[in-house]
Each structure stands twice: as C-alpha cells, then as structure tokens.
Amino acid sequence: MKKLKQIITEIKTHQSHTSDNFQELVWQLICYPPKMPIRWHQEQLIEDSKRFSLTVFDRHFANKNIKFNGFKWGNGPIKLLVTHGWGSKAMDFSELISKLRQIDEVEIIAFDAPGNGSSEGELSNLLLYTQAIEVIVQKFGDPNIIIGHSLGAMANIIALTEMKLAPSLLISITPLIKLKENFEATMDVVGISQTAKEDFLNNFRNKFGVSASYFTLGDLYNSDEELNHLVIYDRNDQISPFSYIKEFLEGHSTIKSKCYDNTGHDKIIKSPVLVADLYTIIKDLIIK
C-alpha cells in the first residue's frame, strides 16, 4: 500500500501529463496491485494447507516466467476453485474457505495471482489471472465449482470460455463488468487529464493487441444455457457499479443473482451472511 500511495503522490505532483515518464506512472497506477500482510488466523489456514507453486509467462511486463503460489485443503472428489480480486490474495477468502472446509466432499484450491499476495511479479493484469487459472486446471483437473471476486470473477469467465469448461456451479461475487471504464474511473480519482487517459488506452491497445473495451463481460460471456451461474452484487458498490451489473444480468436472463447491499466491494467476501449462504448453496448442490 505504501508504494501505491507513492505512485499516486507522484502522479498528482507531476508537471507534465504528456511525458513518457508520466505514462509509466499511469501504468504503475493501473497495474501495480497493492499488497497487504496476512493476519494470524490466515497464517493458520496456510499452515493447514498443501502448498504448491506453478508458473506463467508474463509476456507484457516482465517477459519471463513468473512463479505464483497456491493452496489446497481437503481430499474430496468435488474440486472447488477460488479466484481472488485485484490487489487481493487467496487468504482474503479465509472466512469462506474455513467454512467450506466443513464439507468433506470438497477439495478447495486457491491461489495468489501473479503480482499479488505471496506470488512473484511487480505488475499484474487480467490475462495473468486467466493464465494462472488455466495452468491450475491443467495441473489439477477441471473444477466442479468456481468462485471468483471482482477481477477474479471476470478472469474465471474468460478462462472457462477459452478452455470450454462447464462447471456445475459458477459464483461471481461483485464481478468486474467493464475493464476500460474501471481504468478510467481509477485515473479520474487521481486527476489524470483526458489526453493522458487517451494516451494510456492507446498504449494498452498497442501492448495487448486489443482495446481495453474488448474486456467487457457482457460481450465475452457466451454460456447462457449450459452454465449454472450465480452473480452476487451490492447495489451501492463503487468499484463494480450496479448499473453495469444490471445491464449484464438483463442481457443474460439465465443467470441467477442475489443482492447483499451495503457489504462493500472488498468486504462482501467476508460477510457472515454471504459466507453462510454460499456454504448452504454448495452443500445443497453436492447433496443433490
């Protein structure tokens, strides 16, 4: 978090918004995930896990293989994959993971995406999340249940599409719907000029080969009839606005949804009510 604050300070005090140095700061603002230390109860959860490390190739920033770390609990036949959001880590799902460990039938797999948590990498991006999911699936097999939060929920859907996976249940918690608009909102918060925003988006297209607007969940999603999909949202969410969620749900009528107002974009995954509800939903699915 200290480095992110430093980046923001440099952006706000930089004299020229049109220089290459300023664009480098914008890239760091968008692609540097802040890292928060784990807490005692999270350390205990890690101690109880079977740890693993895998690699992905970061072709956009580091241009080398990046090691990322993962964790497994349980030995049941039902594989359950958890994907965290931006600037987060597997252990931020500690309350939910601890609850789901009570289900003997599941094997829970969670990971710190490249550049996040305990994993290697200075900068990260959506595609590194997606690559990590695909490597985990290749290593451990197709997951029966997939849970994702925010950017992790978007990455899950992209990975499912690319790998043609059809889990028994997909749960997307406050999913990021529009990547470009998320970038723009982040830049607006720190007062980046319209010209500098346009320069960044052009640079993004050049680096990734597609525009940021390509990563719009409503356009990428094509699993309406096959997928048992539950979207969790908060109508007061400032990161994943309800207007975007509403538009997405209206365009895909087979998706179920449930609202947990005033839980907050980040804190929603720790909500005791949500944790209890997801436990019941997953338990009931397995019993059936």
Side-chain angles (χ1 to χ4, degrees):
M1 188 61 72
K2 181 179 179 181
K3 177 167 182 178
L4 181 59
K5 290 180 179 178
Q6 180 182 352
I7 293 168
I8 292 171
T9 298
E10 290 186 37
I11 284 175
K12 289 183 175 181
T13 57
H14 206 283
Q15 293 184 351
S16 172
H17 282 207
T18 59
S19 68
D20 290 342
N21 288 340
F22 186 78
Q23 275 299 306
E24 179 59 32
L25 288 172
V26 178
W27 274 103
Q28 291 181 43
L29 172 72
I30 298 296
C31 296
Y32 173 76
K35 299 173 177 63
M36 301 296 289
I38 61 173
R39 299 182 177 182
W40 181 84
H41 72 279
Q42 296 172 333
E43 291 178 352
Q44 294 302 301
L45 192 58
I46 290 175
E47 287 298 318
D48 291 342
S49 72
K50 296 178 182 177
R51 284 171 260 188
F52 65 86
S53 294
L54 298 169
T55 61
V56 295
F57 186 76
D58 178 5
R59 65 182 182 275
H60 295 108
F61 295 130
N63 196 35
K64 66 178 182 179
N65 284 324
I66 298 294
K67 183 175 75 172
F68 69 95
N69 300 318
F71 317 89
K72 295 170 62 180
W73 299 267
N75 298 297
I78 305 297
K79 295 185 185 298
L80 189 155
L81 176 65
V82 178
T83 308
H84 66 75
W86 181 255
S88 183
K89 53 189 178 297
M91 289 305 107
D92 289 336
F93 271 102
S94 57
E95 288 84 357
L96 179 59
I97 291 170
S98 296
K99 185 68 174 178
L100 294 177
R101 290 182 67 195
Q102 298 176 20
I103 305 175
D104 292 336
E105 295 86 351
V106 302
E107 177 187 50
I108 303 165
I109 304 171
F111 65 100
D112 292 346
N116 290 259
S118 65
S119 294
E120 291 181 353
E122 182 73 7
L123 303 179
S124 189
N125 60 69
L126 172 63
L127 297 186
L128 286 175
Y129 274 65
T130 304
Q131 287 175 249
I133 295 165
E134 293 175 352
V135 168
I136 287 172
V137 171
Q138 291 164 2
K139 175 70 175 179
F140 299 114
D142 295 2
N144 306 96
I145 300 169
I146 304 178
I147 301 173
H149 174 232
S150 191
L151 187 77
M154 177 181 271
N156 281 343
I157 290 172
I158 294 174
L160 291 179
T161 301
E162 291 182 349
M163 302 188 79
K164 297 180 171 57
L165 299 177
S168 301
L169 176 62
L170 173 66
I171 299 174
S172 299
I173 305 171
T174 58
L176 197 64
I177 303 295
K178 299 183 178 185
L179 190 65
K180 174 177 176 286
E181 285 78 357
N182 179 265
F183 288 166
E184 290 176 326
T186 300
M187 290 186 280
D188 285 342
V189 167
V190 297
I192 291 175
S193 68
Q194 183 62 33
T195 298
K197 286 194 294 184
E198 291 173 0
D199 287 345
F200 170 79
L201 292 172
N202 287 333
N203 290 337
F204 182 96
R205 178 192 289 272
N206 292 335
K207 182 180 284 289
F208 287 89
V210 293
S211 68
S213 60
Y214 171 82
F215 299 102
T216 300
L217 208 55
D219 299 333
L220 297 171
Y221 191 84
N222 60 3
S223 302
D224 282 348
E225 296 184 2
E226 309 108 38
L227 197 57
N228 179 17
H229 188 184
L230 172 64
V231 168
I232 304 295
Y233 64 92
D234 176 349
R235 283 175 294 190
N236 300 307
D237 192 334
Q238 299 300 307
I239 305 299
S240 185
F242 175 62
S243 59
Y244 297 167
I245 296 283
K246 185 172 182 283
E247 178 186 343
F248 175 65
L249 292 174
E250 288 176 346
H252 303 279
S253 59
T254 61
I255 300 176
K256 306 178 190 70
S257 64
K258 190 165 183 180
C259 178
Y260 293 79
D261 275 344
N262 302 313
T263 48
H265 183 79
D266 295 326
K267 293 182 179 179
I268 191 170
I269 61 174
K270 303 178 186 297
S271 163
V273 177
L274 175 62
V275 168
D277 286 352
L278 293 187
Y279 171 85
T280 299
I281 290 168
I282 292 168
K283 184 70 173 177
D284 289 348
L285 176 69
I286 292 172
I287 291 174
K288 290 178 183 179

